[in-house]
Amino acid sequence: SQFIISKIIISLIFQLILMIIAAIAAIFVSYILFGFGDIVEDGFVIMTQYQFWTQFVISYALLIIVFFTTILFGILISTIAQNNISSITIAISSYLVLEIIKIKLKIGAFIYSSYIEFPLNNLSELMEGFHASWTPKLYYYLSVNIFWLFIFLFIALFAIKKQEFK
């Protein structure tokens, strides 16, 4: 259990560092290209600066959830696989199989990878002046990701209990 929990904590810290660096880079580039202020089109304020930053933080917070689900998938694979090459092979193969199944059976709403673009697409629609609500798809987003989080964590903990480490 300590092995899995330490991998999860380190992975989450690494993910947060990468997301903070990406957010700072996005803020820096957008400031250079567009500056800061209200989003205005034809004299109408589409989104105030406060609304934008609120939505920006919400979208990145939601991205953390789906990326954390992906990290737990990787941790599951790394606990099952014996070495790096088999781990990479299993991860890529299982992702491709999952995507093929998702497309063939039209079950995208139940697969966590379908929601990677959701937060940023919503933010983009809000910035373009479209009325977008987080609520309808947010419940699916949270429930699907939390479901997969528990599945990956349970299987990883079960697999680690069956293996012996020296």
Side-chain angles (χ1 to χ4, degrees), residues 4-16 71:
I4 296 289
I5 291 170
S6 64
K7 284 179 91 166
I8 290 171
I9 291 170
I10 293 301
S11 298
L12 186 58
I13 291 170
F14 183 70
Q15 171 192 348
L16 290 174
I71 285 173

Side-chain angles (χ1 to χ4, degrees), residues 55-67:
Q55 298 301 323
F56 184 82
V57 169
I58 289 171
S59 66
Y60 265 82
L62 289 173
L63 275 175
I64 289 172
I65 296 168
V66 73
F67 287 155

Side-chain angles (χ1 to χ4, degrees), residues 39 46-47 51-52 54-60 62-63 114-141:
I39 299 173
I46 295 173
M47 186 181 282
Q51 289 172 320
F52 170 78
T54 303
Q55 298 301 323
F56 184 82
V57 169
I58 289 171
S59 66
Y60 265 82
L62 289 173
L63 275 175
S114 302
Y115 295 97
I116 291 174
E117 297 175 347
F118 163 68
L120 296 179
N121 285 346
N122 239 16
L123 181 61
S124 175
E125 289 176 8
L126 287 168
M127 286 174 35
E128 291 173 8
F130 297 114
H131 177 70
S133 175
W134 294 97
T135 310
K137 208 169 180 182
L138 184 62
Y139 295 124
Y140 289 119
Y141 176 86

Side-chain angles (χ1 to χ4, degrees), residues 19-31:
M19 288 189 73
I20 289 169
I21 291 170
I24 290 171
I27 290 168
F28 182 71
V29 169
S30 63
Y31 178 72

Side-chain angles (χ1 to χ4, degrees), residues 69-142:
T69 307
T70 307
I71 285 173
L72 275 181
F73 175 68
I75 289 173
L76 166 67
I77 298 298
S78 72
T79 56
I80 293 172
Q82 298 298 321
N83 57 38
N84 290 341
I85 293 176
S86 61
S87 180
I88 291 169
T89 305
I90 292 170
I92 292 172
S93 302
S94 59
Y95 182 78
L96 290 174
V97 166
L98 194 61
E99 288 296 312
I100 290 168
I101 290 171
K102 177 178 81 172
I103 293 167
K104 294 285 185 190
L105 298 180
K106 297 180 173 86
I107 57 171
F110 305 106
I111 308 299
Y112 68 95
S113 63
S114 302
Y115 295 97
I116 291 174
E117 297 175 347
F118 163 68
L120 296 179
N121 285 346
N122 239 16
L123 181 61
S124 175
E125 289 176 8
L126 287 168
M127 286 174 35
E128 291 173 8
F130 297 114
H131 177 70
S133 175
W134 294 97
T135 310
K137 208 169 180 182
L138 184 62
Y139 295 124
Y140 289 119
Y141 176 86
L142 291 174

